[in-house]
Amino acid sequence: MAVSLVVTILGVYGSFKEVDSDKIKMLETFGATKYQILEKVIIPASIPTIINALKINVGLSWVGVIVGEFLVSRAGIGHLIVYGSQIFQLDLVMTSVIILAVLAGLMYQGVAYIEKKLLNWRQ
């Protein structure tokens, strides 16, 4: 989580800062609260950046988990990869890698589905 948290916060914060200030000033002129400005302007304008951060974080999170399992785990897919390579069982290693690829692909497709729904909502 630490691998992707800092990158996500910085990316989304940069996206929030790039929102058109004229739109924010217009809402402030009409008496909108900070929550209303966030809800009506900032978040809808930042949805593409948030979705891209999620897509990147899917891969980063899997890398973090597997590297952690490589180093200290006694169970899990990362442990199976290390154990299989130590006892020269290529089938165990490749099966573990395929499982990782399928799980990462499913998570990426989940984010793509959310992106499709949010971009339809935004329009």
Side-chain angles (χ1 to χ4, degrees), residues 33-52:
T33 64
K34 287 184 179 185
Y35 177 76
Q36 289 171 330
I37 294 170
L38 180 71
E39 178 185 11
K40 302 295 182 186
V41 175
I42 296 175
I43 290 179
S46 300
I47 284 178
T49 303
I50 294 169
I51 294 297
N52 287 334

Side-chain angles (χ1 to χ4, degrees), residues 39-75:
E39 178 185 11
K40 302 295 182 186
V41 175
I42 296 175
I43 290 179
S46 300
I47 284 178
T49 303
I50 294 169
I51 294 297
N52 287 334
L54 284 175
K55 286 180 178 179
I56 292 168
N57 288 335
V58 166
L60 285 176
S61 297
W62 278 108
V63 167
V65 167
I66 298 306
V67 168
E69 287 182 358
F70 281 168
L71 299 175
V72 295
S73 178
R74 302 230 183 262

